[in-house]
Amino acid sequence: MHFFEKALPVWNTSLTDERNITVGLCSEPLRAGKYTFKAATSGFYRLFVNGAFVHFGPARCAHEFYRVDELALTLTEKENYVAVEVNNSYLNGFGQLRQKGFIQAEIAAADGAVAAATGKTGFAAYMLHERVRKVQRYSFQRDFAEAYRFEGDIHAWRVGHPDKNAEPFTPGETEPKKLVERRIPIGNYPVISPKSRLWYGDFVTGVAGEVYKDRSLIKLHDPTAGLLEGYEENELDEHLSDEAQGFRYTTRTDDVTAYSGKTSLSAGKYEAFRFDGEHTGLLGAKLVCHENAEVCCMFSEVLHGDDIRPIADWCNMIRIDMRPGVYDFQTVEPFGMQYLKIACVSGKVDVLDVNLTAIVCPEKITASYTGSDPATAKIFEAAKQSFMQNCVDIFMDCPTRERAGWLCDSFFTARSERFFTGKNDIEHNFLENFLLAERYPNVPDGMLPMCYPSDHYDGNYIPNWAMWFVLELEDREKRTGDKAFTAAYKEKVYRLLDFFKKYENKDGLLEKLEAWVFLEWSKANELTQDINFPSNMLYTKTLLAAARMFDDAALEAKANALFDVIRARSFDGTFFRDNEVYNGDGEPVSPGERTETCQYYAFFTGTATPETYPELWHTLMTDFGPKRAEKGPYPEIYPANAFIGNYLRLMLLDENGLYEKLIEESKDYFLYMAERTGTLWENTGDYASCNHGFASYAAPMLIRAEENLKK
């Protein structure tokens, strides 16, 4: 496919492998009319027309492949400027690839004439320096946190009038790139303002005390901590997380009022705000600086105690140092928040029109809640918000600390995409990324990355998540009828199955799986060796899925034989046991540990059915679920967590027509989440992500239950 007429991939060729580089391109003045803009890049970029934000991109792709955005632009002024600001982190992570810097962009008029093309004509290029380069990583999974130094007319270059902040340079051509279509539409970008001011008061900074230092700050290049790259602590120009933990708030006045759009702050003053639930986007504001000032923005999904906690396994703090002037501030990348605190460390500044430019699903949402139950309506809206904020270009786990495309999560989110949009275009891109990469750096041959696109320099992976990949592939075929798409993955699936063969023992059971054997965030995850039965149940379902997709009778026979082994070894007459370990004589014996999650894996995978294990099914339906802790039965059976045990339970209720019970339990599982954040969470508690993509699958299950009850 041909994407560009003239544009070449370019960069400041002396900086292609330097970290946290920001480059700006601005077109020569363009006459009014209709144009097409195209771009591919190694980093993240924002597009501006006459200084106004238009688009955030690109859609992420596999190693050595780059998706091309294409936008229709209608320019209405006598002279118009189209500007691109791209940041290349050149950093490994879970949500982005470490890639050498480049930008390939082109603007064409309606008649096809190329008005501007990188490497040819029509663009002026600038090195931009207002963003501080040497800052800490935002998190273990993501690239850099953000800090800024403003002086002068920092954005004049976007409208053809650069000042000293924009350093002109002549880009050099880089090697040609493998380009791929974007496929998904260009989205809309609603601007969301805080709903209310919550409190204000005074503070002091630099207070000594115990300081939390995340592994992404102090364990760079450590093989025990992911071999993360970044700037070492002694290299940093800003110590954001240390500074954030040195704030002490000496007075506080609770004053819940509607957000007015203007906040005037002087040294030692702060105000706190709340959005109407958690949202994800580019944080922005107009800053009117009256005297040299330092402003810190701190944010969080929920309150801890009664305050914002900006520092945990992430750095939810943005620092802006500025000279007198007026500045239109906007972050380079999206952040998620419900609560925001703005503190003036020094100087005096007016903070006007605080906002989030929402970065959400570009597909049209076609599903809506038409029922009459207020509780179900709240859960539906929370599920929709969780879906929209986590399905932008790929399926993400969360839009905050990771923004990563995890397998397993994607199985559930793909079903949500079908429900909310009637399509599976984002899933197409998500899975295609796995197909485009013939091999994955640092992942064993045959295995799949646990999340992608990503760089795992430590070689870590989740074998179970690769099994979910096969399950999703079959599930997609059932949803879309696209057998050709499935067929393209045959070699990759069989290579995966070959990978697992070396872990099969004489009984066909997988044993001593390596790397991160993961089931869910519960006790079940402590029982994964030596022979883990939930993993083997999932393996059996994987074999059957591959057998059906590729008409392989041998795989089907292998799976059915393995089912018999698992039933004989795992079931103790009452419950399925989680694992066996080898004793001193080299014999596998069961420690007798049993988890709620293991039981759900058994029924989800077909190891058990309500007909073949009626007493266990009755026990699970009667004595387990969200209120088991209150009732107190079976305390020896370790409880499940939201991801994924509780969802497997709800899926079983759905598949077996227990619709009233599904609705009742969904309210117990999700209503408190919907009320607190307007999104659905990774865990049953608020100690990790409170906005998770997979959790959106609550909506289709609930709506299906209500519709079936009406029949």
Side-chain angles (χ1 to χ4, degrees):
M1 184 177 291
H2 182 69
F3 292 101
F4 295 100
E5 294 300 319
K6 293 184 178 180
L8 301 173
V10 301
W11 199 247
N12 185 330
T13 51
S14 66
L15 299 173
T16 56
D17 54 0
E18 290 289 326
R19 300 187 185 110
N20 212 10
I21 298 296
T22 306
V23 167
L25 301 175
C26 185
S27 70
E28 295 175 353
L30 301 171
R31 292 179 296 179
K34 295 185 180 297
Y35 294 82
T36 300
F37 171 84
K38 297 180 182 180
T41 180
S42 54
F44 295 108
Y45 78 91
R46 290 173 295 153
L47 179 67
F48 300 87
V49 173
N50 296 329
F53 172 84
V54 173
H55 174 61
F56 174 82
R60 286 167 285 179
C61 204
H63 283 89
E64 299 181 359
F65 290 85
Y66 304 90
R67 296 194 184 274
V68 179
D69 287 351
E70 181 173 334
L71 290 80
L73 301 178
T74 300
L75 307 183
T76 59
E77 302 297 324
K78 183 178 180 181
E79 286 190 348
N80 299 272
Y81 295 90
V82 176
V84 186
E85 183 175 329
V86 57
N87 177 268
N88 192 58
S89 67
Y90 196 65
L91 205 63
N92 64 328
F94 284 38
Q96 77 285 328
L97 297 174
R98 178 181 178 267
Q99 303 177 115
K100 290 187 175 183
F102 87 94
I103 174 74
Q104 188 168 4
E106 191 170 271
I107 303 170
D111 63 3
V114 175
T118 50
K120 293 295 185 179
T121 185
F123 279 120
Y126 306 98
M127 299 301 303
L128 305 177
H129 302 297
E130 65 265 21
R131 181 176 178 182
V132 180
R133 282 184 61 198
K134 293 186 176 181
V135 293
Q136 68 196 77
R137 295 180 68 112
Y138 172 78
S139 67
F140 177 83
Q141 298 86 353
R142 282 182 66 174
D143 58 10
F144 290 107
E146 298 190 18
Y148 297 88
R149 293 173 183 170
F150 293 163
E151 180 180 4
D153 196 347
I154 58 173
H155 296 146
W157 67 270
R158 295 177 184 167
V159 290
H161 304 291
D163 73 353
K164 63 181 180 180
N165 294 286
E167 176 190 349
F169 77 100
T170 301
E173 184 179 351
T174 70
E175 66 277 4
K177 307 302 180 186
K178 299 175 185 177
L179 302 176
V180 183
E181 66 176 314
R182 176 183 170 91
R183 186 172 290 105
I184 58 177
I186 300 298
N188 298 313
Y189 298 93
V191 178
I192 303 167
S193 299
K195 180 179 181 181
S196 57
R197 180 183 72 170
L198 297 179
W199 63 81
Y200 61 90
D202 303 304
F203 68 90
V204 295
T205 60
V207 179
E210 185 176 353
V211 176
Y212 174 76
K213 292 183 183 289
D214 180 53
R215 56 185 168 172
S216 65
L217 176 62
I218 60 173
K219 289 192 174 182
L220 295 178
H221 312 107
D222 186 334
T224 68
L227 289 173
L228 296 179
E229 294 186 324
Y231 292 109
E232 297 284 356
E233 194 173 10
N234 61 5
E235 296 180 275
L236 300 178
D237 290 330
E238 299 285 358
H239 294 262
L240 298 175
S241 59
D242 286 2
E243 182 176 4
Q245 293 173 85
F247 280 74
R248 294 295 181 272
Y249 302 96
T250 56
T251 64
R252 168 171 157 170
T253 301
D254 290 359
D255 182 25
V256 181
T257 57
Y259 175 62
S260 67
K262 180 179 179 179
T263 300
S264 295
L265 297 173
S266 56
K269 303 290 185 181
Y270 76 96
E271 292 195 13
F273 308 92
R274 179 181 180 271
F275 292 87
D276 65 342
E278 182 176 350
H279 293 280
T280 304
L282 308 176
L283 178 63
K286 176 172 283 189
L287 305 174
V288 182
C289 180
H290 301 285
E291 58 186 62
N292 292 353
E294 304 163 68
V295 170
C296 293
C297 302
M298 294 165 279
F299 47 92
S300 62
E301 296 176 280
V302 294
L303 296 179
H304 294 267
D306 62 350
D307 204 353
I308 291 168
R309 186 181 71 177
I311 305 302
D313 293 330
W314 51 80
C315 180
N316 283 344
M317 163 132 151
I318 297 167
R319 179 186 173 91
I320 308 164
D321 291 3
M322 65 195 101
R323 302 279 184 171
V326 179
Y327 306 99
D328 286 320
F329 164 67
Q330 187 185 64
T331 57
V332 171
E333 291 190 41
F335 298 98
M337 66 192 71
Q338 180 177 195
Y339 297 94
L340 170 67
K341 185 184 292 181
I342 302 177
C344 184
V345 177
S346 64
K348 185 177 181 181
V349 63
D350 296 331
V351 183
L352 311 178
D353 301 325
V354 174
N355 65 81
L356 279 173
T357 297
I359 306 298
V360 292
C361 179
E363 299 279 5
K364 181 180 179 181
I365 303 298
T366 57
S368 60
Y369 181 70
T370 59
S372 58
D373 185 345
T376 302
K378 281 186 179 180
I379 296 170
F380 175 90
E381 183 61 29
K384 185 176 79 171
Q385 283 296 326
S386 299
F387 171 77
M388 291 178 64
Q389 295 177 48
N390 282 290
C391 298
V392 179
D393 58 334
I394 58 173
F395 293 151
M396 299 186 296
D397 60 334
C398 63
T400 48
R401 74 172 187 268
E402 297 193 18
R403 299 187 67 81
W406 287 86
L407 293 171
C408 184
D409 297 61
S410 62
F411 176 92
F412 301 90
T413 314
R415 291 184 170 188
S416 296
E417 184 189 11
R418 193 70 171 183
F419 170 76
F420 280 114
T421 72
K423 303 177 181 179
N424 277 111
D425 290 347
I426 298 175
E427 182 187 32
H428 187 121
N429 279 13
F430 174 80
L431 293 176
E432 184 181 53
N433 288 345
F434 286 87
L435 181 64
L436 287 171
E438 184 177 348
R439 296 289 189 273
Y440 312 103
N442 306 299
V443 176
D445 186 46
M447 178 47 60
L448 302 171
M450 53 193 177
C451 57
Y452 197 67
S454 57
D455 288 309
H456 300 285
Y457 290 173
D458 60 352
N460 200 16
Y461 60 91
I462 300 178
N464 312 61
W465 269 206
M467 300 180 203
W468 280 98
F469 172 86
V470 180
L471 301 188
E472 182 181 345
L473 198 60
E474 184 191 30
D475 201 52
R476 183 190 183 278
E477 183 179 307
K478 292 176 181 177
R479 281 183 268 109
T480 66
D482 190 352
K483 293 183 179 294
F485 186 90
T486 303
Y489 290 82
K490 182 176 181 179
E491 180 185 353
K492 202 166 284 284
V493 169
Y494 276 86
R495 282 172 54 197
L496 173 66
L497 298 181
D498 285 343
F499 173 88
F500 281 121
K501 284 180 181 177
K502 61 178 175 285
Y503 295 98
E504 294 176 356
N505 63 20
K506 60 182 177 62
D507 299 309
L509 292 166
L510 297 178
E511 66 174 40
K512 297 182 179 179
L513 286 171
E514 296 178 288
W516 186 14
V517 183
F518 188 85
L519 300 170
E520 73 154 18
W521 295 117
S522 72
K523 180 68 175 180
N525 228 50
E526 300 175 19
L527 305 171
T528 58
Q529 295 296 343
D530 292 323
I531 299 170
N532 177 255
F533 289 115
S535 296
N536 275 283
M537 294 170 184
L538 194 64
Y539 183 49
T540 308
K541 189 175 179 70
T542 300
L543 293 171
L544 280 177
R548 288 187 291 262
M549 284 189 289
F550 306 118
D551 193 24
D552 190 327
L555 282 183
E556 182 180 8
K558 179 178 180 178
N560 288 329
L562 190 56
F563 268 138
D564 291 338
V565 174
I566 294 169
R567 292 167 186 142
R569 298 268 286 271
S570 177
F571 191 65
D572 67 1
T574 307
F575 292 98
F576 284 92
R577 295 172 294 194
D578 277 66
N579 69 329
E580 292 177 342
V581 295
Y582 283 99
N583 62 18
D585 297 326
E587 296 295 324
V589 296
S590 173
E593 300 278 33
R594 301 168 299 178
T595 68
E596 182 180 359
T597 298
C598 180
Q599 316 314 309
Y600 298 147
Y601 266 95
F603 283 93
F604 168 72
T605 59
T607 306
T609 67
E611 293 74 29
T612 55
Y613 291 83
E615 292 183 5
L616 174 57
W617 178 256
H618 178 76
T619 298
L620 291 175
M621 295 301 103
T622 304
D623 295 326
F624 285 75
K627 293 183 178 179
R628 179 162 74 102
E630 300 172 15
K631 298 177 183 178
Y634 301 104
E636 73 279 11
I637 307 298
Y638 299 104
N641 201 343
F643 183 56
I644 61 175
N646 294 345
Y647 275 76
L648 294 181
R649 177 182 176 86
L650 292 174
M651 288 170 64
L652 293 171
L653 298 180
D654 181 15
E655 292 168 2
N656 288 278
L658 300 174
Y659 301 123
E660 289 183 355
K661 190 171 184 63
L662 188 153
I663 293 171
E664 175 190 352
E665 292 193 1
S666 292
K667 293 176 184 178
D668 291 327
Y669 281 133
F670 305 129
L671 185 57
Y672 70 97
M673 301 179 187
E675 291 176 338
R676 281 195 63 191
T677 63
T679 51
L680 301 181
W681 305 353
E682 178 182 10
N683 296 287
T684 53
D686 65 2
Y687 43 84
S689 163
C690 295
N691 186 348
H692 239 62
F694 84 88
S696 61
Y697 189 53
M701 287 192 290
L702 269 174
I703 299 306
R704 190 160 47 244
E706 287 198 345
E707 289 176 348
N708 276 287
L709 288 174
K710 290 177 183 178
K711 294 179 181 179

